[in-house]
């Protein structure tokens, strides 16, 4: 096993059998070259050494849980570099969805206490909080919803927070165009919100089927920041749905993440 910190190295080894067990079922591993999978493995080892995992509500964090969280988090930075996750260290894991109590002040100045169940949360400069039940769902080939990945979602917010609030505009690379990014995302977001509204109307008649036919999770219609996080989930998990629906968004994400999950799928023939 070898769960020890190698002297002088900020990396905790993940043995090959555990790595295979954790990663084999995931959609985003489809078509990945062995050399890239190997780099992901090493990056996940660094992630486990650098981040502090803590279970809450009686949850004990197992080596498998750490690998599942680390590997799904590091797929986002495989070509960006580990430094994109610097500046914070804590990962808090709940056994299931959690209900933080929040006070929200509405437009009329009225304070509401809300407690909606959440699968994950990312704090600016602070921890990432995850429901393990939702993390594990990505490996459950019978029950998962393709394109839903809470780890990718929350860590996409973390990347977006590199330049402040998670608003759907992460820091872009020098060779990218902020105008093209904005154009692609604004257009797709407006279109998607209209499609969700139309699907909502239809769903009242057909019992929700219309919402299932959307190319990405309708939660993306919440805000530009959520659209980026949900599009990132789809980019890695279901590029075959995202790319035809929103090719310009796919292209911007390809430039941003410096990966091409569609090409990986195509390589499978
Ligand atoms: Zn979110």
């Amino acid at each position: 096993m070898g769960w020890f910190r190698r002297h002088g190295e900020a990396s905790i080894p993940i043995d090959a059998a555990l790595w295979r067990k954790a990663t084999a079922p995931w959609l985003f591993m489809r078509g990945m070259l062995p050399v890239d999978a190997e780099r992901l493995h090493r990056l996940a080892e660094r992630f486990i050494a650098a981040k502090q995992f803590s279970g809450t509500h009686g949850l004990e964090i197992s080596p498998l849980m750490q690998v599942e969280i680390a590997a799904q988090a590091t797929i986002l930075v495989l070509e960006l570099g580990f430094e994109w996750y610097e500046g914070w260290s804590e990962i808090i894991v709940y056994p299931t969805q959690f209900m933080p109590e929040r006070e929200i002040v509405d437009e009329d100045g009225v304070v509401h206490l809300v407690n909606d169940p959440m699968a994950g949360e990312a704090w600016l400069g602070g921890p990432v909080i995850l429901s393990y039940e939702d993390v594990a769902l990505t490996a459950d080939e019978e029950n998962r919803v393709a394109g839903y990945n809470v780890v990718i979602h929350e860590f996409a917010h973390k990347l977006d927070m590199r330049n402040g609030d998670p608003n759907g505009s992460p820091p872009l690379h020098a060779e990218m165009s902020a105008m093209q990014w904005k154009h692609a995302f604004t257009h797709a977001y407006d279109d998607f919100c209209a499609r969700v509204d139309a699907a909502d109307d239809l769903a009242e008649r057909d019992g929700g089927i219309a919402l299932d036919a959307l190319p990405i999770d309708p939660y993306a219609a919440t805000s530009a920041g959520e659209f980026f996080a949900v599009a990132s989930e789809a980019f890695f998990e279901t590029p075959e749905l995202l790319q035809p629906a929103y090719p310009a968004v796919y292209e911007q994400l390809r430039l941003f993440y410096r990966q091409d999950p569609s090409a990986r799928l195509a390589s499978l023939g």
Side-chain angles (χ1 to χ4, degrees), residues 59 70 84 180 199 239:
L59 183 73
W84 280 70
Q180 281 174 11

Side-chain angles (χ1 to χ4, degrees), residues 118-158:
M118 299 180 81
E121 224 183 357
W123 289 58
L124 185 65
V128 171
I129 308 170
L130 298 163
S131 144
Y132 183 68
E133 195 172 64
D134 290 78
V135 174
L137 194 59
T138 56
D140 181 341
E141 285 159 69
E142 261 170 50
N143 298 307
R144 69 184 168 202
V145 177
Y148 175 71
N149 187 308
V150 67
V151 181
I152 291 178
H153 183 101
E154 298 308 331
F155 282 84
H157 283 318
K158 273 293 189 192

Side-chain angles (χ1 to χ4, degrees), residues 148-240:
Y148 175 71
N149 187 308
V150 67
V151 181
I152 291 178
H153 183 101
E154 298 308 331
F155 282 84
H157 283 318
K158 273 293 189 192
L159 300 180
D160 194 357
M161 288 169 179
R162 293 292 297 176
N163 57 358
D165 286 334
N167 55 5
S169 299
L172 303 180
H173 311 305
E175 71 278 11
M176 293 179 70
S177 153
M179 214 170 70
Q180 281 174 11
W181 177 276
K182 192 167 191 272
H183 187 263
F185 275 89
T186 306
H187 177 79
Y189 180 64
D190 290 347
D191 176 78
F192 189 69
C193 289
R195 286 170 79 165
V196 170
D197 284 345
D200 269 336
D201 292 344
L202 254 180
E204 282 177 26
R205 270 169 277 155
D206 72 8
I209 300 159
L211 283 164
D212 293 343
L214 292 166
I216 61 174
D217 188 334
Y219 186 66
T222 309
S223 67
E226 294 305 337
F227 188 85
F228 167 70
V230 172
S232 294
E233 291 175 75
F235 177 76
F236 287 103
E237 297 268 292
T238 50
E240 67 274 34

